Amino acid sequence: DGWGTTRCASRPIDALAVELAQHAHLARTLDAKPVAQLLQREILYLNRAAEHAERSALPGASETLWHELAGLVAGAAKAEALRRAAMQAYGSGRVQQAEVLFIEALQAASALGDKSAQGVTWGNLALLYRDTGRTDLAEETGNRALEVLGEVSNWRAGGEALANLAG
């Protein structure tokens, strides 16, 4: 299962994706006729902008863009956007915000019944707990990740969760 690994291919236009998303948003909110098409463009550009910020080592910008994207999408896309926002918050030292976002991502994945998404997010949360000294909670959460990922045979993510527990 490739959940959590999907990325847009990098393109030169990605540096302008934030501006393109803003233009699509403005056009959509200023009484434009093809609202659905503009919303899809805004989602596309926000996704590209978030990934570009991530690749450019701009965790604050990336977190903001992923969180904004999560507000526009539903289902698996929402769960993944929340998880990636959490990863960026975590990477920039905003641990409390990251924990909140991981829990939101976990709730979104659970509502879908997406075991792979749940397992990956449990694993991310276990790493956060381990790194913040909450070892009992890290072990419990990590074991939950391994259990769920084993149920869906997502061995790669399970291996990552196990490695994270090992430190």
Side-chain angles (χ1 to χ4, degrees):
D1 185 319
W3 193 90
T5 60
T6 304
R7 304 283 194 263
C8 293
S10 181
R11 296 192 178 142
I13 194 75
D14 289 350
L16 302 174
V18 171
E19 288 82 6
L20 292 169
Q22 290 169 344
H23 285 277
H25 175 76
L26 287 172
R28 183 172 60 85
T29 58
L30 295 176
D31 195 35
K33 298 288 187 248
V35 173
Q37 185 179 16
L38 288 170
L39 176 60
Q40 291 308 310
R41 291 289 181 211
E42 184 178 358
I43 289 168
L44 170 71
Y45 295 136
L46 275 174
N47 188 65
R48 296 193 76 81
E51 288 194 1
H52 178 70
E54 208 172 273
R55 283 190 301 270
S56 300
L58 300 169
S62 185
E63 175 193 345
T64 299
L65 292 164
W66 284 122
H67 199 259
E68 189 175 339
L69 179 63
L72 295 177
V73 296
K78 182 180 187 93
E80 174 67 348
L82 287 167
R83 188 190 71 80
R84 289 177 76 175
M87 291 297 293
Q88 295 304 304
Y90 178 65
S92 64
R94 295 170 26 85
V95 178
Q96 290 178 329
Q97 178 66 13
E99 186 173 356
V100 168
L101 289 167
F102 278 135
I103 290 168
E104 286 181 35
L106 190 55
Q107 290 168 342
S110 296
L112 295 169
D114 187 337
K115 296 270 190 181
S116 191
Q118 291 172 51
V120 169
T121 307
W122 279 116
N124 294 149
L125 197 51
L127 179 61
L128 181 145
Y129 291 149
R130 186 201 74 192
D131 288 350
T132 55
R134 296 179 274 176
T135 53
D136 290 342
L137 195 51
E139 185 177 347
E140 178 185 323
T141 306
N143 286 332
R144 180 71 179 132
L146 293 172
E147 177 187 326
V148 171
L149 291 166
E151 289 175 16
V152 293
S153 302
N154 188 338
W155 307 121
R156 189 186 72 125
E160 289 175 8
L162 190 57
N164 287 340
L165 277 177

